Amino acid sequence: MRFALSLSAFLLATTPALAQTAPQAPISEATLKRLTERLSSDEFEGRAPGTPGEEKTVALLAQAFEKAGLKPGNNGSWFQEVPLVEITASDVQPLVFAGGKTPLSFDYRTDMVVASYRLDPSISLKDSEVVFVGYGVNAPERGWNDYAGVDVKGKTVVILVNDPDWQTEGLEGTFGGKAMTYYGRWTYKYEEAARQGAAAAIIVHQSEPASYGWNVVQSSWTGPQWQMEGAEVGASQAIGWLQLDATKTLFASAGQDFEALSAAAARPGFKAVPLGLTASTSFKSNVRRQASKNVIAILPGTERPDEVVMHTAHWDHLGRCDAVDGDDICNGAIDNATGTAAMVALAEAHAKAGPAKRTLAFMAVTAEESGLLGAKYYAANPVFPLNKTVGGVNVDSLPMAGATRNYGIVGPGKSELEAMLRPIVAAQNRVLEPAGNPAAGGYYRSDHFAFAQKGVPMLYGGAGSDLVEGGEAAHKVYSTARAKIYHAPGDEYDPNWDWGGAMQDLRAYYTLSRQLAEGNAWPNWVAGDEFRAVRDASRAEVE
Ligand SMILES: [Zn+2]
């Protein structure tokens, strides 16, 4: 068996005429290598927004797009200015609960974290009534509303992490079974609480449904917090997380059983429970403004230039970080110099093939690592109307382990783009399969998601796991190595990488984009998907 596989791999490598069952898109591996190496060199200092590394990065990208024959994408400019705000909380007072059996006081960092999206220099939550709102979900298309019949204006809501059916074994259920829907993400919970007028929203931390420990909550919520300007509008005064043990104590003090109420919250028809307590805390906010840039290039369409096929990849990474063996630059070679280089290689390939009927857009976005901020800013301030944006592809971290027999799709079964991609991937002799761990909600963790929220269908792939050379076992070795360098100084360019899998993926994306750009299709989200209603409403404006 092993011999037969190696032999076919050998044939694929040496007899291109036989191997070309799929038309080979003109993606340049040389461009990919050259730009990935350059962008991840120490000269770019890890590409943190607002540093000299940003200036070098965006200048290099504009130059590369121009050389490839593209046009500036933002009304004659290569850049879209993205106003960012950095907020650092200080002098954080304990989170105090009164009105229960015993007064409770929870300390910053050890028991709880709090922050604010507001730009006020000081935040004060005083005697705010506390309501347990279960999973904090309002999903009319699924017949679920945890806020039904309760007014939480000015109150503090306590919310469970993940979505109501996360403990299900399979992927069936109102909220996709064990797969996490957007209703399970903390971003959604804070957004919904703000829409309901809550003064504060506190999420209960539990390691298993969150898929990470308290250390991650603590480290990611206690330093400077970046957001895009505008996010403060309508935001709750305070948002935060509370440790599980502290929460149990809190519920007991209110004469409630946390376990019993959590179980009830997972069942349809759950009603929010006022705990009869009040919450108070206060802190100072130090606000600093900083401008950054998205880079946008287009190949204008010949017949319907107002209809746009989008490609995105984040150019930013972490910059200077905690040193490992004396190296304090998080170069972000895989994450995401590879995806940024892919934007240029894809643009170059399309330019070589000539303009299509629709416009092809290529955008390298900023501040993904701070919460998809560049993509969110674009989605809130689009250059091309989103109701005329056909759909697209996001590239975040290309696979560097060689050619695969499968393609991994993140967020399987969501949009009709998947059905369009399947035969393209099949023509490469690959199988399209769900990627990674659906319970971690990977679809909500990169830039395409900012578009999805506004209804634009976007495709996002993970690494194929079944390597032509070595199968699943070899891939395990690669992914273990990968985990060591993720968000660490070790994410550096390696001339020994095998770009075979990356090339397969990019050729597939090229073919898909070309089809979209030459055709009339308006792919949608599948019926019942969380983003379907938004897309239907937005397309109705222009249809
Ligand atoms: Zn990334």
Side-chain angles (χ1 to χ4, degrees):
M1 194 60 188
R2 201 162 182 283
F3 173 73
L5 289 175
S6 314
L7 182 64
S8 66
F10 174 74
L11 287 172
L12 281 169
T14 53
T15 52
L18 282 177
Q20 282 185 15
T21 50
Q24 296 288 288
I27 305 288
S28 164
E29 195 172 314
T31 296
L32 285 169
K33 287 181 174 168
R34 181 171 46 80
L35 278 177
T36 302
E37 182 170 17
R38 188 79 204 285
L39 288 166
S40 62
S41 66
D42 282 356
E43 186 199 339
F44 286 71
E45 295 176 273
R47 305 185 305 283
T51 66
E54 158 158 7
E55 282 163 43
K56 287 176 189 167
T57 302
V58 298
L60 179 74
L61 288 173
Q63 197 182 50
F65 280 127
E66 183 161 34
K67 194 166 158 248
L70 279 281
K71 297 254 178 315
N74 184 13
N75 303 301
S77 169
W78 295 105
F79 308 114
Q80 179 184 41
E81 296 288 332
V82 179
L84 299 176
V85 183
E86 186 199 59
I87 305 177
T88 312
S90 63
D91 202 10
V92 180
Q93 298 305 304
L95 179 59
V96 173
F97 292 92
K101 289 176 185 161
T102 46
L104 296 169
S105 174
F106 297 117
D107 288 335
Y108 187 48
R109 292 174 190 271
T110 49
D111 305 320
M112 63 89 177
V113 294
V114 279
S116 182
Y117 289 150
R118 295 214 187 160
L119 304 182
D120 311 340
S122 70
I123 299 290
S124 172
L125 183 75
K126 210 166 169 4
D127 301 326
S128 164
E129 283 175 46
V130 182
V131 183
F132 173 59
V133 294
Y135 286 90
V137 170
N138 178 12
E141 83 283 6
R142 289 160 208 243
W144 194 288
N145 185 3
D146 289 324
Y147 289 95
V150 57
D151 180 3
V152 300
K153 279 189 191 67
K155 298 180 183 171
T156 293
V157 292
V158 176
I159 315 171
L160 296 174
V161 78
N162 213 313
D163 56 32
D165 59 6
W166 70 271
Q167 281 161 304
T168 314
E169 273 301 308
L171 298 177
E172 302 298 314
T174 314
F175 293 91
K178 72 171 180 183
M180 191 195 276
T181 60
Y182 181 48
Y183 298 110
R185 294 279 294 150
W186 55 261
T187 46
Y188 166 78
K189 293 172 191 291
Y190 292 141
E191 285 163 10
E192 186 59 40
R195 277 192 289 271
Q196 301 284 342
I202 307 289
I203 298 176
V204 181
H205 177 260
Q206 291 176 277
S207 295
E208 196 195 344
S211 81
Y212 44 76
W214 179 254
N215 60 322
V216 173
V217 175
Q218 198 186 36
S219 66
S220 42
W221 285 87
T222 50
Q225 304 288 313
W226 289 92
Q227 67 182 46
M228 65 170 207
E229 218 171 294
E232 70 279 9
V233 179
S236 296
Q237 272 185 285
I239 52 178
W241 291 77
L242 188 62
Q243 283 256 47
L244 180 59
D245 285 345
T247 309
K248 287 179 177 167
T249 311
L250 174 70
F251 277 58
S253 159
Q256 298 281 1
D257 177 4
F258 174 74
E259 300 296 344
L261 281 188
S262 298
R267 291 192 288 268
F270 166 77
K271 293 252 175 319
V273 180
L275 293 183
L277 309 175
T278 62
S280 304
T281 185
S282 68
F283 51 94
K284 294 198 166 64
S285 271
N286 183 23
V287 176
R288 191 170 72 90
R289 287 189 164 73
Q290 173 80 57
S292 187
K293 288 184 175 72
N294 290 332
V295 186
I296 313 175
I298 52 167
L299 193 61
T302 51
E303 288 183 15
R304 282 163 278 132
D306 56 330
E307 299 177 3
V308 175
V309 177
M310 183 57 71
H311 302 78
T312 55
H314 71 89
W315 63 253
D316 69 298
H317 196 57
L318 305 170
R320 300 271 168 179
C321 53
D322 290 345
V324 174
D325 299 332
D327 180 3
D328 74 340
I329 300 178
C330 276
N331 303 82
I334 290 179
D335 185 9
N336 188 27
T338 57
T340 310
M343 287 301 100
V344 175
L346 283 165
E348 210 174 55
H350 282 290
K352 256 186 214 151
K357 289 173 183 160
R358 288 166 157 168
T359 293
L360 286 147
F362 304 86
M363 181 158 60
V365 293
T366 183
E368 187 268 356
E369 304 288 8
S370 316
L372 325 181
L373 299 181
K376 276 189 186 162
Y377 185 80
Y378 178 90
N381 305 275
V383 175
F384 310 103
L386 296 175
N387 54 18
K388 293 221 148 182
T389 301
V390 178
V393 177
N394 178 51
V395 186
D396 190 350
S397 302
L398 283 170
M400 287 303 141
T404 60
R405 284 184 285 252
N406 59 355
Y407 169 86
I409 190 159
V410 178
K414 294 189 71 65
S415 86
E416 292 161 4
L417 290 173
E418 184 175 329
M420 296 184 75
L421 187 70
R422 193 178 295 276
I424 296 171
V425 164
Q428 299 178 315
N429 296 317
R430 294 201 296 170
V431 186
L432 189 148
E433 289 174 342
N437 170 19
Y443 192 77
Y444 313 107
R445 295 182 183 203
S446 188
D447 300 296
H448 56 282
F449 172 55
F451 288 80
Q453 263 190 300
K454 301 277 183 179
V456 180
M458 293 286 284
L459 196 82
Y460 181 44
S465 56
D466 186 6
L467 294 171
V468 171
E469 294 287 342
E472 305 267 359
H475 197 272
K476 270 223 170 78
V477 177
Y478 284 118
S479 49
T480 310
R482 177 75 217 287
K484 265 191 204 151
I485 62 167
Y486 174 73
H487 283 192
D491 186 1
E492 290 178 322
Y493 181 77
D494 182 347
N496 294 318
W497 279 336
D498 182 342
W499 288 77
M503 290 293 285
Q504 286 176 310
D505 289 358
L506 294 180
R507 286 184 179 127
Y509 295 154
Y510 172 86
T511 308
L512 176 72
S513 296
R514 206 69 206 175
Q515 268 180 22
L516 286 170
E518 295 289 12
N520 306 310
W522 287 98
N524 203 337
W525 303 91
V526 301
D529 189 82
E530 56 213 332
F531 306 122
R532 172 79 185 222
V534 185
R535 184 59 163 180
D536 286 346
S538 112
R539 285 291 301 148
E541 294 162 7
V542 285
E543 265 170 349

